[in-house]
Amino acid sequence: MNLTELETIITKKKAERALLITQRKEMQARVVQLKADSENYTKARWILSEVAKETQKNFQVKVESLVTSAIRAVFEERPFEFRLIFEQKRNKFECKPVVVENGVEYEPKDELGGGIIDLISFAFRVVLWHLENPKSRNVFVLDEPMKFVGKGDLLMRAGHMIKEISHRLGFQIIMVT
């Protein structure tokens, strides 16, 4: 190998070294940027989580109070209380509705019968409509909304409760019974 060939190899190696140094600096700058982005994403996720918790709390208070009022208006003699239990599973919030009586939690669909489910279903419709912005039509079309409440006094109280809520919130009901 002669001197010219050796100089050519050295020049190539210097160029490769300079390129690698430049690439290393670019990669280090990219790592710094990715770390900053990661921190920003973590902060944003925390902020969104806090906003979601606050929104959830406000929603929970409104829903629980209206549904509890509807249930108590019909089942006056029983100390029912409606609750929404929010749990975070797999980075998602899940909501489980329960009815509490004397400190004991019941899942309405499995343990309390159709009457209470009818009341909860009606109250949920009203709450969700009430929270809409802008509101959709103020007319509810209901097909036997209190089918399983029972007869006599319970059914009369349910009818009175529906009438009172519709009057107070300003919506009309078309009902099939």
Side-chain angles (χ1 to χ4, degrees):
M1 194 180 284
N2 65 27
L3 188 58
T4 309
E5 290 175 345
L6 193 54
E7 287 175 346
T8 305
I9 292 173
I10 291 174
T11 304
K12 284 183 182 178
K13 293 296 179 186
K14 284 182 179 180
E16 287 177 13
R17 182 175 182 264
L19 177 64
L20 289 173
I21 289 172
T22 303
Q23 287 177 340
R24 180 175 162 226
K25 287 179 182 177
E26 289 172 357
M27 289 295 171
Q28 287 173 333
R30 180 82 175 125
V31 166
V32 168
Q33 182 61 46
L34 288 173
K35 283 181 182 179
D37 288 349
S38 175
E39 289 174 12
N40 288 337
Y41 293 146
T42 301
K43 288 175 186 175
R45 185 177 187 165
W46 180 83
I47 290 169
L48 287 173
S49 177
E50 291 301 309
V51 168
K53 285 177 188 175
E54 196 60 35
T55 303
Q56 170 188 311
K57 231 186 288 183
N58 291 336
F59 176 77
Q60 187 175 11
V61 167
K62 289 179 182 182
V63 170
E64 288 178 351
S65 64
L66 184 67
V67 175
T68 297
S69 296
I71 294 170
R72 287 183 179 172
V74 176
F75 294 100
E76 294 172 345
E77 65 282 349
R78 296 181 72 181
F80 284 129
E81 186 177 328
F82 181 79
R83 290 196 189 139
L84 293 174
I85 299 174
F86 288 93
E87 298 172 340
Q88 189 171 359
K89 294 181 181 177
R90 298 174 304 278
N91 283 333
K92 294 182 181 178
F93 284 101
E94 294 182 7
C95 177
K96 180 174 100 173
V98 296
V99 175
V100 179
E101 182 180 26
N102 298 321
V104 179
E105 288 183 1
Y106 299 100
E107 289 190 34
K109 69 181 180 90
D110 297 329
E111 300 169 335
L112 291 175
I116 204 136
I117 293 172
D118 286 345
L119 289 165
I120 292 169
S121 174
F122 172 76
F124 259 125
R125 286 184 193 131
V126 171
V127 168
L128 293 176
W129 173 81
H130 187 65
L131 293 175
E132 281 182 355
N133 190 12
K135 295 214 183 319
S136 59
R137 292 183 180 166
N138 64 341
V139 176
F140 286 78
V141 179
L142 305 174
D143 183 14
E144 299 186 59
M146 301 295 156
K147 182 177 184 176
F148 297 106
V149 168
K151 295 183 180 177
D153 201 30
L154 288 178
L155 194 56
M156 293 298 287
R157 283 187 264 185
H160 180 71
M161 179 268 308
I162 289 172
K163 183 178 177 184
E164 178 66 30
I165 289 175
S166 69
H167 179 70
R168 192 175 331 151
L169 297 179
F171 62 86
Q172 296 177 351
I173 296 176
I174 299 172
M175 186 181 327
V176 176
T177 61

